[in-house]
Amino acid sequence: RRINFEPFLFFLVNSARKVNPAFQDLMASLYGDWLHRCDVVKKVQRCQDKVALDYMLDPEFKGDKAPIGALLGDVVRCMVVCPTPEDVVEAMNKLKACKKLTVLRIKNGFAAKDPAFGYRQILVNVLFEANGVSMVCEVQVNLADYVFIKEKIHTYYSISRVGKNFSSSPEMYGLVWKPSMVI
């Protein structure tokens, strides 16, 4: 069974394009040189893949209340790279104090007992409004040393994640497989 959630994802990505420039500018004003801007929003195909892999395979997911793509909180995102742990604390305090957004969720990967590949970061979902559009955006707060590691392991992490999901649910191949995925 193929599920069509693209119409909402096109709407989501189009909305993200309206919000992203103002979001990146706000983050730059907060973090200066610590900010790694993400001037390109997540593409529709990547959103579709993420929805299929992260939510549709979850047996606890009850996606009958809203479009499943509404769960994506990182179509607009940025990365804050902090030199020291003390700077991570400062970055989080700046985010919490910012009156132009609302912190919705903090996922502290530094507190995780066994993070994937040992990688740790703090993911913060915030509500941000610009150009008449409100959107959940993501701020990734990282230590510089972990960013170096992230760049080295990202390909392996992506492969392991897809392999784990498909090995338990082969029917997902029909949802997200594309000829470009052939290795």
Side-chain angles (χ1 to χ4, degrees):
R1 182 179 118 190
R2 189 165 179 86
I3 297 172
N4 182 3
F5 40 78
E6 288 185 29
F8 178 79
L9 294 179
F10 281 111
F11 169 78
L12 182 67
V13 170
N14 186 50
S15 297
R17 289 182 181 132
K18 294 175 184 174
V19 169
N20 194 50
F23 179 74
Q24 298 299 329
D25 289 347
L26 174 63
M27 294 297 106
S29 72
L30 288 176
Y31 297 113
D33 291 341
W34 291 356
L35 181 70
H36 286 223
R37 293 176 67 104
C38 187
D39 289 317
V40 178
V41 300
K42 195 168 280 198
K43 293 182 176 22
V44 171
Q45 184 62 56
R46 177 64 188 116
C47 291
Q48 184 176 4
D49 293 348
K50 186 169 182 173
V51 164
L53 294 173
D54 289 358
Y55 302 114
M56 295 178 69
L57 290 176
D58 183 354
E60 302 293 317
F61 177 70
K62 308 283 189 263
D64 56 350
K65 301 265 189 287
I68 194 169
L71 296 169
L72 294 175
D74 65 346
V75 179
V76 172
R77 63 207 180 280
C78 71
M79 182 188 303
V80 178
V81 180
C82 303
T84 68
E86 294 78 19
D87 295 330
V88 169
V89 173
E90 181 182 339
M92 290 300 297
N93 288 336
K94 285 182 179 184
L95 199 56
K96 291 176 189 177
C98 182
K99 301 293 184 203
K100 295 182 179 178
L101 49 81
T102 304
V103 173
L104 301 174
R105 179 182 82 154
I106 299 172
K107 187 175 177 183
N108 186 352
F110 289 100
K113 289 185 181 186
D114 190 23
F117 292 94
Y119 185 76
R120 298 174 186 278
Q121 66 181 340
I122 300 173
L123 301 176
V124 184
N125 290 111
V126 298
L127 183 62
F128 179 73
E129 187 276 326
N131 301 312
V133 177
S134 294
M135 176 164 269
V136 176
C137 305
E138 182 178 82
V139 180
Q140 304 168 1
V141 181
N142 294 266
L143 277 169
D145 289 342
Y146 277 109
V147 172
F148 175 77
I149 293 168
K150 181 179 185 176
E151 291 168 357
K152 301 294 182 197
I153 65 170
H154 185 73
T155 300
Y156 302 111
Y157 173 71
S158 297
I159 292 168
S160 74
R161 185 170 168 185
V162 169
K164 177 186 76 163
N165 287 326
F166 283 147
S167 65
S168 62
S169 297
E171 69 276 6
M172 293 304 291
Y173 281 113
L175 286 173
V176 298
W177 184 84
K178 305 177 289 293
S180 62
M181 292 177 70
V182 176
I183 297 175

